[in-house]
Amino acid sequence: MTARSGTSTPTPTPTPAPAPSNSNSDPTPTSPLSSPNTTTSYTTASSTAAPSDDVRVDDAAFISDSSSVDTDDGEESDDEGESQSIPDDTPRLYRAKKELLPELKEHCRVYLEEALPQQAIALLNSLLSTRPENPEEPAYCPPPSQISLLCSIIVHPEFTTRPKEPDWPQISLQSLVYLRDLLAVLGPINAGFKEAVLFGIKAVSGPGLVADAAQDSSPDADERGLVRLSPRHGNDSVWRCGRDFFSVVGWAFNCSFLYPERWQWWTRWLDFMLHLLEMDVRERHRLDVENGLEDMPFLQGSIIASYINQRSGRTADVAMWIMKALFADGSSSSTSVFQEVWHREHKTKSRRAANKRKRDKVNLDKGEYGGYLDDESVHSSQASEPPTPQKRRLGAEPADEEILETVYIETVPFRQRLFSIISFLCYGLGDDASPTNFSNLYEKFEQRVKELPLAVFSSFINTSTSALQTDQQIEMLQGVLLLFMPAGALSPRKVDRARFEDGGISAAILERCFLPYPANTIEVEDHVKMSLLLENLLILVWKEGGKDEVGFSDNLAQAVEKGIDARWEKILKKARGRGKGVNDTEREAKAALEASDARLGWLVTAIEESMKKEDDAMSEDGGP
């Protein structure tokens, strides 16, 4: 972990992905709370990296030998069951890529350009599903230009909220299913997803451009060396209409608040893209580690690194831009920065267009009603009614704020997953090669989390539902907690400098530096947030502490009780100084603080009982 203090420390070697039992990879510690003297970092964030394109020619040499095992059975196309967190570190080995025959490639291109994507998807699906049983045999894969269009179909308004044909929304889902299957079988590198999902021309400019273009000498090739689709399709994709990845992500999050009908499609696209980015960094990190590449060229060339580098050329502080996208909330300030990808994208199909249909012949005597009384027709006016956007406005009623908070909470896993990927990339590459400074990234992230409304804040830091990796949770929780600490609190550096500066935490740091103190303000909500942070850190330290870890002392209960009393004393000072009654917001915050106090008390009791059982077990075994 890069030190968060003013001093600089050597960048740790990135943690290799745990390998199967027959692997020679270094073992990964089981606890992020272990001794800082171990060789593995405990604050390595999840997976996201991009090997630079100048090593792209070497990719095939590495992958052709090691990436041929089929992985399609476990992760095909279940849209709902996909994990919110980054995949485990088990090496994923994939089949090699086999180019489509020219006739098949042309058939797919014609189908896609002639508005017959269902036929193209059916053909590609049949080729993928009929691959040889031998996992070392390659599998057919379409060119990146066609993958790119299929990725756009997932969310394009003409296939989702304003379909030109009744079955086109189903095509959007079929496209998603196929892409997930393709990713599972061939993997992100072999399938050429990076070439397919880059934004605009600038996203691919660089040393790798010549190598990419050399793959296809067709006169119809575009700047990336990919066979062009017709201008109508190539210029109307999300990769051309969207300015960059983070602009699109910010707009997607805005839709969750303002245009729920659009969000239901953006959430599918965003889930797939995060899954792709996670698998991409995981695979590239594995290739770097297995081949002993200390400068991590594969990781430098990851898709997410390309996205960040693209934005770095336009923004002085790219970390700030990332935070704006991560915390987009449909507010006026957010919508002014992140605007719709397609023109009038938020408009849904009009009622007149939705109800306009060719009617069959009506013959009342024979009971033929021309479809006017079938179930679909009866309810068509309701089904086609555009939803009313949930407008963000100042001075909103409490009920409106509750709705907005609920919507925000639903998007928290997506925000955490994206941050986890970026965090892993920046940590793995170190400050010299990272597209953005690791410490600066976390400082801005922690400040944004601190300012969230209480309900959203509670969801964001909840360790039981978090999509962040354990080491990332510790880093984030501890960083946010420090923003609430009073000036006179004992510094963690005086208790365990090495552990703290490496982003870790221990029972001693928690007991002596955090638990006994109130927040540095008199606001009730700040004390609730601080108490929630302490809860979650206490759970992590208790759950993740290794057997060689120095556990909690007998002073734990005293430290917790001292902190509870200090927080309430500070809150009461505010009440006495103001001389007024409490409002509803403060009353709810006080109730939340009381509940948190009770949970802290329960945790102390559970930890003490656990410690007693361990002592009794050691006594029975003849231990000291």
Side-chain angles (χ1 to χ4, degrees):
M1 175 78 176
T2 304
R4 300 286 293 282
S5 63
T7 59
S8 60
T9 58
T11 303
T13 302
T15 307
S21 56
N22 61 349
S23 172
N24 295 324
S25 299
D26 295 334
T28 300
T30 58
S31 169
L33 308 170
S34 306
S35 169
N37 297 324
T38 55
T39 59
T40 309
S41 161
Y42 306 111
T43 44
T44 310
S46 288
S47 52
T48 307
S52 58
D53 285 322
D54 48 0
V55 298
R56 189 180 184 287
V57 176
D58 298 328
D59 289 1
F62 287 123
I63 300 167
S64 59
D65 294 330
S66 63
S67 305
S68 57
V69 179
D70 200 0
T71 60
D72 52 318
D73 292 334
E75 297 190 21
E76 291 214 339
S77 55
D78 184 18
D79 189 39
E80 299 296 329
E82 191 58 33
S83 170
Q84 295 281 354
S85 61
I86 290 187
D88 61 36
D89 284 330
T90 305
R92 304 303 306 272
L93 305 178
Y94 304 103
R95 287 180 183 255
K97 172 182 178 179
K98 185 177 183 179
E99 296 285 349
L100 296 181
L101 297 174
E103 295 83 358
L104 294 176
K105 185 185 297 186
E106 181 64 14
H107 277 311
C108 290
R109 184 187 68 81
V110 172
Y111 284 145
L112 291 171
E113 292 190 352
E114 296 301 325
L116 298 171
Q118 201 161 16
Q119 285 84 337
I121 295 171
L123 176 57
L124 293 172
N125 253 325
S126 65
L127 292 172
L128 187 64
S129 60
T130 56
R131 60 191 177 274
E133 292 185 5
N134 183 358
E136 295 187 359
E137 292 289 331
Y140 281 111
C141 179
S145 57
Q146 295 180 13
I147 295 176
S148 177
L149 183 57
L150 293 175
C151 287
S152 281
I153 286 176
I154 296 173
V155 72
H156 197 288
E158 291 184 1
F159 286 89
T160 54
T161 46
R162 294 199 305 268
K164 290 187 174 181
E165 299 294 338
D167 62 338
W168 277 24
Q170 189 64 28
I171 294 175
S172 169
L173 298 178
Q174 291 171 355
S175 179
L176 176 62
V177 168
Y178 171 73
L179 290 171
R180 293 181 72 85
D181 289 347
L182 184 69
L183 181 60
V185 174
L186 291 174
I189 301 177
N190 289 356
F193 271 98
K194 179 179 179 181
E195 293 82 358
V197 299
L198 291 176
F199 285 80
I201 300 174
K202 293 182 180 179
V204 295
S205 60
L209 183 59
V210 177
D212 286 345
Q215 294 183 351
D216 195 332
S217 58
S218 167
D220 294 327
D222 66 9
E223 298 87 348
R224 290 174 284 178
L226 308 180
V227 176
R228 286 191 180 99
L229 295 172
S230 66
R232 165 68 177 84
H233 295 82
N235 295 333
D236 198 37
S237 69
V238 65
W239 321 110
R240 291 289 182 175
C241 296
R243 289 182 294 168
D244 57 70
F245 176 71
F246 297 103
S247 296
V248 174
V249 168
W251 167 249
F253 285 142
N254 282 340
C255 285
S256 67
F257 292 90
L258 302 175
Y259 309 111
E261 190 161 315
R262 283 301 297 156
W263 170 243
Q264 69 172 319
W265 297 101
W266 275 115
T267 186
R268 293 179 172 92
W269 182 88
L270 188 57
D271 180 67
F272 173 74
M273 287 301 299
L274 291 175
H275 184 50
L276 169 63
L277 296 178
E278 289 163 351
M279 294 183 69
D280 184 61
V281 293
R282 186 68 67 199
E283 178 68 0
R284 292 172 182 274
H285 182 267
R286 181 184 71 83
L287 291 170
D288 281 327
V289 171
E290 287 187 356
N291 292 284
L293 304 174
E294 295 183 359
D295 56 347
M296 312 298 282
F298 284 98
L299 194 57
Q300 289 187 48
S302 64
I303 300 172
I304 187 64
S306 298
Y307 289 160
I308 298 174
N309 287 329
Q310 178 189 10
R311 191 67 213 183
S312 298
R314 310 178 192 173
T315 306
D317 189 352
V318 69
M320 180 62 72
W321 181 256
I322 293 172
M323 291 306 117
K324 288 181 179 180
L326 273 175
F327 292 91
D329 59 358
S331 62
S332 57
S333 60
S334 183
T335 54
S336 65
V337 176
F338 304 113
Q339 301 175 355
E340 57 187 7
V341 175
W342 290 279
H343 179 60
R344 298 174 64 85
E345 175 191 339
H346 63 285
K347 296 294 184 182
T348 56
K349 202 168 186 178
S350 66
R351 291 182 58 182
R352 177 178 297 179
N355 292 331
K356 185 178 181 181
R357 53 177 289 184
K358 182 178 179 180
R359 296 291 181 180
D360 296 329
K361 182 179 179 181
V362 178
N363 190 325
L364 299 181
D365 294 334
K366 294 183 179 181
E368 298 174 354
Y369 302 105
Y372 281 96
L373 295 182
D374 61 11
D375 291 340
E376 180 184 353
S377 182
V378 169
H379 299 287
S380 63
S381 62
Q382 299 176 10
S384 61
E385 182 70 27
T388 302
Q390 298 174 6
K391 300 291 186 180
R392 288 295 300 262
R393 59 186 186 276
L394 296 176
E397 295 296 326
D400 295 336
E401 289 300 325
E402 290 178 6
I403 293 173
L404 293 173
E405 288 176 355
T406 301
V407 172
Y408 206 130
I409 290 171
E410 291 174 355
T411 65
V412 164
F414 294 102
R415 302 171 194 267
Q416 291 176 332
R417 288 172 67 186
L418 180 53
F419 179 78
S420 181
I421 295 168
I422 298 170
S423 174
F424 179 82
L425 172 71
C426 295
Y427 179 83
L429 295 179
D431 287 342
D432 292 338
S434 173
T436 185
N437 181 267
F438 183 86
S439 296
N440 183 41
L441 180 76
Y442 264 88
E443 287 170 5
K444 286 181 167 54
F445 182 69
E446 291 156 3
Q447 186 62 43
R448 288 277 189 160
V449 172
K450 175 182 181 288
E451 296 168 356
L452 291 172
L454 182 57
V456 181
F457 177 89
S458 177
S459 176
F460 222 104
I461 67 168
N462 190 333
T463 59
S464 63
T465 59
S466 180
L468 299 174
Q469 300 296 292
T470 300
D471 45 10
Q472 297 170 338
Q473 293 179 45
I474 292 173
E475 172 74 7
M476 183 264 291
L477 292 172
Q478 193 167 210
V480 178
L481 184 57
L482 287 171
L483 298 176
F484 286 107
M485 295 304 297
L490 178 65
S491 172
R493 290 185 177 85
K494 295 183 177 180
V495 176
D496 194 338
R497 174 181 288 271
R499 177 72 54 74
F500 176 71
E501 291 189 350
D502 200 41
I505 194 172
S506 64
I509 291 176
L510 194 55
E511 282 185 37
R512 298 176 59 188
C513 306
F514 295 141
L515 284 171
Y517 296 99
N520 53 15
T521 74
I522 58 175
E523 297 298 326
V524 182
E525 186 172 295
D526 288 344
H527 287 278
V528 180
K529 289 180 177 180
M530 183 175 185
S531 186
L532 293 172
L533 289 165
L534 293 171
E535 273 187 65
N536 285 278
L537 274 174
L538 190 58
I539 291 172
L540 281 177
V541 173
W542 181 29
K543 181 177 69 173
E544 299 294 338
K547 293 185 180 297
D548 58 338
E549 177 79 18
V550 176
F552 292 101
S553 72
D554 296 335
N555 297 324
L556 175 63
Q558 180 181 353
V560 169
E561 189 64 31
K562 182 179 179 181
I564 291 174
D565 291 342
R567 287 188 285 277
W568 280 106
E569 181 180 354
K570 207 162 187 179
I571 291 171
L572 292 175
K573 282 183 178 179
K574 175 184 178 181
R576 288 194 296 267
R578 184 175 54 187
K580 298 180 181 178
V582 296
N583 55 37
D584 291 340
T585 302
E586 289 189 354
R587 189 176 294 108
E588 293 174 0
K590 286 184 176 181
L593 183 58
E594 290 173 353
S596 180
D597 292 344
R599 289 191 296 270
L600 282 170
W602 177 87
L603 280 171
V604 170
T605 302
I607 291 171
E608 290 177 341
E609 291 178 355
S610 175
M611 292 168 58
K612 185 176 183 302
K613 288 180 180 179
E614 290 179 2
D615 292 342
D616 292 344
M618 292 180 63
S619 299
E620 292 176 1
D621 294 338

